[in-house]
């Protein structure tokens, strides 16, 4: 069975499409998630389905995979890639991963493994129409879900300088937060910000050339921060992770890949609290990619993997719990 929620869709099974997309830390994700044949696994951020394809192979023809993405375009790409997956059931849900507990309950499923690979993927960055890239001019939008929320330009034309500064500092660790916020507010007095180039120009005007980092584009941190702000990516992330972990079967595992300190902090706090309530943290310290992976896939360089496992309440472990449901 293959179902796409939002627009419920049946699609024919066909051969999975090959893709050049490199899922980050795939070996480590599989090691910590440890999916078994027949398991129900949830990919809360399915994206281009790199991890999901490997998970589907592991759980096999008796297994179930539920994939979430709040971006309709990504979910469609995932569907194209997953239609031939050798699964008993595939459910694709267009929604925030925060709704995993509610959506699993609707489906009558409990998860043996859940993956959250936070942030965004290269296909989203490379599309200039989304306004996520400082290298290509485009509308300053940045929304992953275009059905709701304000585009980034509307936010930057509305918020106070102090609010913009706070976001740049908190979500981007940007040392020049005050100067950039001041530039944005000054610039919008003559004309509202509309494009990614408008924002890049504010950053370049705020950071003196001698103070710019050589390793990354000066607008990197600003674009990350404004994207997180626009999509409210960190809003109650700790609470969401706790609720998601609680949908696991005994023995079930949750693996989270975070890409910046704000995200990783929320994951760490959630896992610490869970460790006092029937969960075992499998990664006392976050695990990073190998130097080889960073070399072949530079996007992986900032990844931090954390994993947690729900204690078993029966000696037989997770499968006997599932049968008793
Ligand atoms: C880093 S990519 C995932 C890549 C994926 N693991 C793969 O192998 O192709 C993150 C994906 O999660 C989605 N996403 C980010 N935050 C989300 C949220 N709160 N709810 C649902 N999807 C989200 C993004 O739209 C993006 O497609």
């Amino acid at each position: 069975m293959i179902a796409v929620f939002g627009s419920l869709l049946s699609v024919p099974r066909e051969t999975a499409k090959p893709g050049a997309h490199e899922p980050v830390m795939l070996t480590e994700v599989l090691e910590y998630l440890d999916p078994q044949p027949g398991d129900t696994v949830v990919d809360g951020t399915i994206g281009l389905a790199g991890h999901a394809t490997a998970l589907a192979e592991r759980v096999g023809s008796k297994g179930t995979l539920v994939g979430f993405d709040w971006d309709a375009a990504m979910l469609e790409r995932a569907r194209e890639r997953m239609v031939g997956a050798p699964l008993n059931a595939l459910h694709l849900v267009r929604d925030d991963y925060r709704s995993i507990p509610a959506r699993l309950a609707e489906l009558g499923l409990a998860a043996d493994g859940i993956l959250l690979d936070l942030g965004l993927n290269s296909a989203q960055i490379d599309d200039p129409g989304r306004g996520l890239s400082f290298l290509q001019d485009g509308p300053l939008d940045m929304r992953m879900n275009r059905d709701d929320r304000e585009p980034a330009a509307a936010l930057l034309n509305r918020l106070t300088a102090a609010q913009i500064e706070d976001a740049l500092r908190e979500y981007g660790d940007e040392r020049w937060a005050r100067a950039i916020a001041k530039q944005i507010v000054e610039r919008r007095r003559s004309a509202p910000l509309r494009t990614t180039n408008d924002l890049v120009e504010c950053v370049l005007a705020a950071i003196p050339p001698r103070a710019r980092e050589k390793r990354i584009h000066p607008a990197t941190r600003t674009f990350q921060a404004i994207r997180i702000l626009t999509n409210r990516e960190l809003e109650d992330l700790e609470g969401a992770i706790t609720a998601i972990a609680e949908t696991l079967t005994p023995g079930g595992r949750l693996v989270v890949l975070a890409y910046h300190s704000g995200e990783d902090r929320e994951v760490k706090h959630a896992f610490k609290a869970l460790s006092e309530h029937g969960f075992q943290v499998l990664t006392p310290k976050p695990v990073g990619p190998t130097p080889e992976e960073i070399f072949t896939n530079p996007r992986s360089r900032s990844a931090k993997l954390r994993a947690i496992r729900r204690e078993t309440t029966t000696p037989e472990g997770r499968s006997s719990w599932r049968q008793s449901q």
Side-chain angles (χ1 to χ4, degrees):
M1 179 178 66
I2 304 179
V4 179
F5 291 86
S7 53
L8 201 71
L9 191 70
S10 287
V11 287
R13 281 179 182 271
E14 56 183 62
T15 314
K17 312 267 184 308
H21 170 62
E22 297 270 346
V24 171
M25 297 182 69
L26 179 60
T27 306
E28 295 83 354
V29 165
L30 292 175
E31 181 189 330
Y32 282 99
L33 216 46
D34 192 28
Q36 299 296 315
D39 273 358
T40 294
V41 285
V42 176
D43 186 335
T45 49
I46 195 165
L48 299 175
H51 292 106
T53 304
L55 292 175
E57 275 166 22
R58 289 289 184 99
V59 300
S61 59
K62 295 203 168 110
T64 296
L65 188 137
V66 189
F68 285 74
D69 207 297
W70 57 7
D71 182 327
M74 288 305 109
L75 203 66
E76 178 55 21
R77 298 274 294 265
R79 184 192 68 77
E80 285 170 10
R81 192 133 188 238
M82 295 294 300
V83 284
L87 287 162
N88 174 45
L90 169 67
H91 303 275
L92 295 177
V93 186
R94 185 181 165 206
D95 208 342
D96 194 317
Y97 57 68
R98 290 171 177 79
S99 67
I100 287 174
R103 292 304 197 113
L104 286 187
E106 279 167 27
L107 290 166
L109 294 172
D112 299 305
I114 303 175
L115 170 65
L116 297 179
D117 178 13
L118 302 175
L120 72 172
N121 63 49
S122 47
Q124 292 167 309
I125 301 170
D126 293 344
D127 177 355
R130 291 173 166 275
L132 290 161
S133 169
F134 41 75
L135 296 176
Q136 307 180 72
D137 198 19
L140 187 55
D141 188 312
M142 296 197 178
R143 284 171 302 170
M144 307 256 195
N145 176 356
R146 299 212 170 163
D147 293 348
D148 62 9
R149 316 245 154 117
E150 276 175 288
L155 274 171
L156 291 176
N157 289 322
R158 175 174 71 74
L159 296 179
T160 64
Q163 288 170 317
I164 297 171
E165 179 185 339
D166 284 352
L168 293 172
R169 226 181 276 291
E170 193 177 334
Y171 304 146
D173 299 320
E174 175 55 71
R175 282 193 302 129
W176 292 86
R178 179 162 300 169
I180 296 168
K182 191 162 162 255
Q183 277 295 333
I184 291 170
V185 170
E186 265 170 28
R187 187 187 170 116
R188 77 190 188 196
R189 283 200 191 106
S190 48
L193 275 78
R194 280 191 236 282
T195 67
T196 49
N197 272 355
D198 293 343
L199 182 55
V200 172
E201 282 170 14
C202 291
V203 175
L204 295 180
I207 310 181
R210 63 183 153 63
R212 292 179 195 164
E213 284 180 56
K214 302 260 177 316
R215 203 174 50 88
I216 57 170
H217 187 287
T220 306
R221 295 177 195 282
T222 295
F223 270 64
Q224 172 185 297
I226 302 305
R227 185 201 90 221
I228 291 171
L229 176 75
T230 302
N231 294 292
R232 299 192 208 146
E233 289 174 38
L234 293 190
E235 196 170 275
D236 194 27
L237 182 55
E238 186 180 335
I241 286 174
T242 307
I244 288 167
E246 280 164 358
T247 66
L248 286 167
T249 55
R253 292 156 180 242
L254 168 64
V255 170
V256 187
L257 282 169
Y259 293 88
H260 64 87
S261 57
E263 275 173 358
D264 184 54
R265 206 176 307 125
E266 300 271 323
V267 182
K268 182 173 146 186
H269 290 162
F271 280 16
K272 184 163 188 313
L274 285 163
S275 71
E276 286 153 23
H277 297 96
F279 287 82
Q280 180 197 359
V281 176
L282 303 175
T283 47
K285 289 213 159 93
V287 179
T290 60
E292 292 75 28
E293 177 166 2
I294 296 172
F295 183 74
T296 54
N297 183 11
R299 198 183 81 80
S300 69
R301 70 178 179 273
S302 50
K304 285 196 161 84
L305 180 152
R306 292 185 188 266
I308 201 162
R309 176 177 172 274
R310 190 171 206 166
E311 308 277 359
T312 48
T313 50
T314 67
E316 294 81 19
R318 59 188 177 187
S319 54
S320 70
W321 186 88
R322 198 170 48 231
Q323 281 156 23
S324 71
Q325 293 300 292

